[in-house]
Amino acid sequence: MFFRCVKAINDNERIFRRGYEASGDMSITMQRVYNFSAGPSMLPLEVLEKVQAEMLCYEESGMSVMELNQKSDKFTEIMESAETSLRKLMNIPSNYKVLFMQGGATTQFSAVPLNLLSDHKCADYIISGPFSDDAAKEAKKYGDIVFAASSAGATPAYSVIPATARSDFRPDADYVHICFNNTIHGTKFYYIPDTGNIPLVADVSSCILSEPIDVSKFGLLYASSQMNIAPAGLTVVIVREDLIGNARPDTPSMLNYKHIADSKSLCNTPPFFAIYMANLVFDWILSIGGLEEMKRRNERKASLLYDYLDSQKYYTASVDKKCRSMMNVVFSTGNAALDRKFVEEANAIGLKNLAGHSTIDGLRASIYNAMPYEGVEKLVAFMKKFLIENPKL
Ligand code: PMP
């Protein structure tokens, strides 16, 4: 079975025909959709097209990227290019290492305490959603962990980002951990906590590369790839050099930042395809103008949706306005049956994966970097139509 692009309507909507190579039957037509999934999410179409073009033969290697040897010059070039482009995009200072790891952000929930709970074996966590809660639970296996602040008790739970002051953190904490953008509840830190000399660690899985971020304000940043970087499989860790080298003796080698840094992220077989695609995505962002331009585009998309939500009463968006995520827009009709109908009808017209996270239900539109503006326009048009066709009794 194969897909062939036969006609381009606009940047995102391309008609594909699926047929059977043997019979030459090209009768089934498919169209690319707008995928509002929280992750894995949309990838830039330009990148997918380049991947398609290079799939069978990468440059003059005579083989696909997936078949390259990890010690080959070609693969080394890709790894180096990915790191160079990421450093340029995020303006990463030279005293930070970029590590390409595996196991997702979830594995960093363990790797962070294993590597960083070095001096006093205690760390403070700001709890702003289930992912920061999960990170704290994992860290508790290795040290004395306290919640410096939490929005679990807000109404609704996690609808705000807790405000903090330097005095909220224990002076002997080895680090303070936050989840910068909360994928499930649709909130984002509107400030960088002032932790004084205590290294600040941030899970930036669902907001990395969406806008500029001052890396020097953090001791460590980590992100899964499947939102704004590449397909799933790669975990990017950006860590200040002085925080490397003090891991607990029983830290598995594959989670030890020093081991990974010393081997230039090649201590075992790396996730080639994800790194190759990350390199293409980084280049794509550089080509459109870097993170300032990415931010401009993301703000434009998010404003379109939030402005509409604020202009009517049918849908509610309960997140505190100053904490709204630019990537994950959480809303609801306020009626579970209507929410389900919304998801089904949107799905039928190519607006996919709009159901909220299973733990909170409702609706969620994830509008990561690769979501085109037209996707959000179509969503808002659908919301307006749905509201008229489904009055609340
Ligand atoms: N942190 C955040 C903020 C996330 O959004 C996710 C997944 N969506 C995770 C952690 C877990 O990532 P993974 O499944 O790649 O381990």
Side-chain angles (χ1 to χ4, degrees):
M1 216 187 302
F2 62 98
F3 294 87
R4 188 189 299 169
C5 178
V6 292
K7 189 179 167 200
I9 297 175
N10 66 30
D11 265 1
N12 191 56
E13 293 179 5
R14 288 161 193 256
I15 301 292
F16 287 78
R17 283 197 182 176
R18 180 206 274 179
Y20 293 91
E21 209 159 10
S23 65
D25 176 3
M26 300 286 286
S27 57
I28 311 162
T29 299
M30 279 192 66
Q31 187 171 326
R32 267 185 75 78
V33 297
Y34 293 104
N35 181 5
F36 292 90
S37 165
S41 58
M42 287 185 81
L43 286 157
L45 189 61
E46 292 92 325
V47 169
L48 291 175
E49 286 174 337
K50 187 151 188 355
V51 173
Q52 184 184 38
E54 293 179 342
M55 180 58 79
L56 298 186
C57 188
Y58 177 70
E59 295 186 346
E60 70 286 3
S61 68
M63 59 180 90
S64 83
V65 163
M66 290 170 284
E67 297 163 298
L68 289 177
N69 185 284
Q70 81 217 53
K71 303 243 161 50
S72 63
D73 292 346
K74 283 260 169 271
F75 195 73
T76 308
E77 266 169 37
I78 294 173
M79 288 278 275
E80 288 175 358
S81 164
E83 177 172 342
T84 306
S85 298
L86 184 65
R87 283 187 176 279
K88 191 167 168 196
L89 265 178
M90 294 183 70
N91 200 15
I92 299 174
S94 57
N95 62 326
Y96 284 72
K97 292 278 187 205
V98 172
L99 312 179
F100 294 138
M101 296 180 66
Q102 299 182 56
T106 309
T107 303
Q108 294 305 313
F109 296 170
S110 315
V112 166
L114 283 166
N115 283 273
L116 267 52
L117 277 179
S118 49
D119 285 341
H120 302 101
K121 313 267 181 287
C122 67
D124 293 355
Y125 277 64
I126 302 179
I127 307 299
S128 55
F131 287 118
S132 45
D133 196 38
D134 287 349
K137 276 192 193 117
E138 200 62 27
K140 277 182 182 165
K141 294 178 184 168
Y142 308 107
D144 166 22
I145 305 300
V146 301
F147 292 177
S150 170
S151 55
T155 316
Y158 299 128
S159 55
V160 296
I161 291 292
T164 55
R166 199 188 283 197
S167 55
D168 292 322
F169 308 114
R170 291 177 289 178
D172 61 346
D174 287 326
Y175 64 90
V176 172
H177 180 280
I178 62 172
C179 179
F180 209 72
N181 183 80
N182 295 279
T183 325
I184 296 177
H185 291 81
T187 59
K188 180 191 131 181
F189 269 78
Y190 57 93
Y191 70 102
I192 296 181
D194 175 8
T195 58
N197 290 328
I198 310 170
L200 180 61
V201 173
D203 175 353
V204 288
S205 293
S206 49
C207 60
I208 191 167
L209 304 177
S210 61
E211 61 182 331
I213 187 165
D214 184 350
V215 175
S216 71
K217 295 255 176 357
F218 299 84
L220 187 149
L221 295 165
Y222 64 88
S224 290
S225 54
Q226 66 269 22
M227 277 67 96
N228 269 340
I229 299 180
L234 169 67
T235 314
V236 172
V237 177
I238 301 164
V239 54
R240 220 174 55 207
E241 278 170 356
D242 62 287
L243 299 174
I244 299 180
N246 303 310
R248 281 167 57 116
D250 58 354
T251 303
S253 303
M254 288 305 298
L255 299 187
N256 188 319
Y257 295 146
K258 181 157 173 32
H259 186 61
I260 309 284
D262 288 350
S263 71
K264 295 190 181 316
S265 303
L266 280 172
C267 48
N268 77 330
T269 317
F272 278 15
F273 199 68
I275 294 173
Y276 155 74
M277 284 195 70
N279 185 37
L280 296 179
V281 169
F282 299 156
D283 285 350
W284 171 72
I285 302 176
L286 285 168
S287 77
I288 64 164
L291 294 188
E292 285 296 348
E293 172 60 14
M294 204 71 258
K295 178 183 182 191
R296 192 193 65 77
R297 292 184 185 195
N298 285 328
E299 279 179 344
R300 189 165 167 256
K301 285 183 286 176
S303 302
L304 180 63
L305 192 43
Y306 282 124
D307 287 351
Y308 172 64
L309 285 166
D310 290 342
S311 72
Q312 50 74 56
K313 293 208 160 48
Y314 187 86
Y315 305 98
T316 49
S318 50
V319 164
D320 182 298
K321 281 191 187 169
K322 71 173 179 307
C323 309
R324 282 173 165 175
S325 166
M326 194 163 56
M327 300 281 97
N328 312 101
V329 180
V330 170
F331 58 101
S332 169
T333 63
N335 174 314
L338 273 183
D339 284 346
R340 274 196 299 278
K341 189 162 191 264
F342 182 100
V343 172
E344 271 166 32
E345 290 184 11
N347 188 44
I349 60 159
L351 305 174
K352 301 279 177 181
N353 294 313
L354 282 158
H357 190 267
S358 54
T359 53
I360 57 169
D361 292 330
L363 302 163
R364 172 177 54 175
S366 293
I367 48 175
Y368 295 114
N369 285 354
M371 172 61 68
Y373 186 75
E374 304 85 65
V376 184
E377 277 183 322
K378 288 220 153 94
L379 172 60
V380 171
F382 170 74
M383 289 167 79
K384 290 179 179 168
K385 183 168 163 282
F386 186 85
L387 165 164
I388 294 166
E389 290 172 357
N390 297 276
K392 290 183 197 165
L393 302 173

